[in-house]
Amino acid sequence: MVKKAFLLAVSIVGALTSGFSQNRVPVFRQDVPLDSIRLSDPCILADKKNATYYMTGTGGMLWKSKDLKKWTGPVAIAQTDPNSWMGPMPMIWAAELHQYKDKYYYFATFTNRAVKIDTVGENIIERRASHVLVSDKAEGPYVPMKDPMYLPADKPTLDGTFWVDTDGKPYMVYCYEWLQNLNGTIEKIELKPDLSGSVGESKLLFRASDSPWSRENSKDKAKIAPNKVTDGPWLFRTGTGRLGMIWTSWIYDVYTQGVAYSKSGTLDGPWVQEKEPITPPNYGHGMLFKTLEGKWLMSVHSHKSVNGRTMRYPHLFEVDFSGDKLVVGKPYLP
């Protein structure tokens, strides 16, 4: 199953690599319906200041909308340093926009495919890490800050997201990739007050194998084991004050999202995994946002095979977490 999962990852990356580079010149379009957009890991910022929705994700591009119905874009908004570890043409995955204090921050995964940091079995590990850029405006451009890197150079990390914990300190929560550790993890690291770098060492929150719902065949094919992938963490707090995290893995070859809750109400956990997935099959890498009218929604993507290529499309779901748990409702059609 490890080999099969690796080959699946390679095929997806190979099919979409051209869309991941910030150097690709996008075709600018106007009034595009959401279901006509191809986008992995969609993240939507509802910016009250400009009464505008800003959507980003894998590829480093930005879409804008006033009503969630019609979108304009995409435009490139990430300006990385070609002399940094990222190199001149980094792949950009799972970008997120976060407003914090008087700035806007761009959390994303950057990959320098020209640099190899490790080989584990058949897996050649490229230089990949979560990083943070900053801008004065939601629509960017987003540029580097003080620290040249946030996480260790010898570890592939991805899908960094943002959370301010009960201690009032900002944190990045991210995945340490299964391709190297063979049992993906979700971890946290403290950020500087202005998010311009990281502070101290990271801390493990939980492992992929803690999941009761993800599945893959074991090496001898005689047993079923938890899947090794951790993907797309996003934090939220319920109406009762309970801290939750949605995150994504696989059930065999089906992309699936689950949820975990912290018993302590802080990032330190311990984290208890719900037994069943939170979304229907083939939906994952979710995030939550409140519309300009005050309605909470979940943004996710789905996979679809088109002429042998894997395409990813954004979707919206209604959600309710006013009580003790997150409940995912029907698809939202703006």
Side-chain angles (χ1 to χ4, degrees):
M1 184 61 190
V2 174
K3 182 176 180 180
K4 180 180 179 182
F6 173 66
L7 292 175
L8 176 63
V10 169
S11 66
I12 292 175
V13 169
L16 299 177
T17 293
S18 62
F20 289 165
S21 173
Q22 66 173 350
N23 297 77
R24 180 179 62 89
V25 178
V27 178
F28 185 81
R29 296 179 286 164
Q30 294 183 334
D31 297 331
V32 182
L34 184 66
D35 60 8
S36 297
I37 296 173
R38 284 173 44 196
L39 181 67
S40 304
D41 316 322
C43 181
I44 297 175
L45 172 69
D47 189 52
K48 292 183 179 180
K49 181 179 179 181
N50 300 304
T52 301
Y53 297 100
Y54 297 95
M55 180 171 66
T56 187
T58 287
M61 304 295 173
L62 183 75
W63 292 83
K64 298 184 346 183
S65 175
K66 289 292 186 179
D67 57 9
L68 296 175
K69 296 179 182 179
K70 302 292 186 178
W71 294 83
T72 298
V75 294
I77 57 171
Q79 295 182 358
T80 56
D81 179 2
N83 297 313
S84 71
W85 66 264
M86 300 178 189
M89 297 180 63
M91 296 168 64
I92 302 178
W93 294 356
E96 298 182 358
L97 300 182
H98 294 272
Q99 185 177 9
Y100 182 59
K101 297 183 178 178
D102 60 344
K103 300 283 187 181
Y104 293 87
Y105 294 91
Y106 184 92
F107 282 64
T109 304
F110 298 89
T111 300
N112 185 342
R113 304 200 73 189
V115 178
K116 316 301 180 186
I117 62 172
D118 198 3
T119 300
V120 179
E122 298 178 344
N123 302 334
I124 299 174
I125 314 298
E126 299 168 338
R127 178 74 171 93
R128 173 164 42 250
S130 297
H131 201 86
V132 185
L133 307 180
V134 67
S135 178
D136 292 324
K137 300 184 297 183
E139 57 193 70
Y142 289 85
V143 299
M145 290 184 280
K146 182 179 179 181
D147 285 12
M149 62 184 188
Y150 286 67
L151 297 164
D154 60 347
K155 293 182 178 180
T157 57
L158 68 160
D159 294 354
T161 191
F162 180 58
W163 186 252
V164 178
D165 212 359
T166 54
D167 58 6
K169 296 178 180 179
Y171 291 87
M172 179 194 292
V173 175
Y174 64 93
C175 302
Y176 172 24
E177 195 168 26
W178 72 275
L179 291 174
Q180 186 179 58
N181 63 25
L182 301 183
N183 187 6
T185 65
I186 292 182
E187 306 185 3
K188 72 164 188 175
I189 193 165
E190 183 183 341
L191 298 175
K192 294 179 179 180
D194 63 356
L195 314 192
S196 64
S198 58
V199 178
E201 301 294 325
S202 60
K203 179 178 178 180
L204 173 69
L205 303 185
F206 60 83
R207 302 179 188 277
S209 58
D210 294 338
S211 166
W213 51 265
S214 71
R215 291 187 290 278
E216 66 179 37
N217 291 321
S218 60
K219 290 182 179 179
D220 60 9
K221 299 184 180 180
K223 298 180 180 179
I224 297 174
N227 201 279
K228 298 175 176 63
V229 173
T230 49
D231 186 77
W234 183 272
L235 284 301
F236 65 95
R237 199 172 289 280
T238 69
T240 61
R242 198 178 186 194
L243 180 62
M245 182 195 305
I246 50 178
W247 67 285
T248 302
S249 189
W250 296 80
I251 297 179
Y252 302 116
D253 60 349
V254 179
Y255 202 53
T256 307
Q257 183 173 241
V259 63
Y261 295 97
S262 168
K263 294 186 76 172
S264 69
T266 72
L267 288 177
D268 289 330
W271 288 88
V272 179
Q273 308 290 332
E274 291 286 279
K275 293 182 179 179
E276 300 296 331
I278 195 72
T279 46
N282 195 35
Y283 294 96
H285 202 112
M287 57 81 60
L288 306 173
F289 71 99
K290 184 187 287 188
T291 68
L292 297 173
E293 294 74 34
K295 184 180 184 65
W296 280 100
L297 299 177
M298 173 185 286
S299 174
V300 294
H301 77 251
S302 66
H303 295 81
K304 183 179 181 180
S305 180
V306 180
N307 297 325
R309 297 183 63 192
T310 300
M311 305 298 182
R312 300 182 182 187
Y313 298 90
H315 303 267
L316 300 176
F317 281 87
E318 296 182 1
V319 293
D320 180 10
F321 51 99
S322 59
D324 196 44
K325 289 187 175 184
L326 171 66
V327 178
V328 179
K330 63 183 180 182
Y332 178 78
L333 301 176

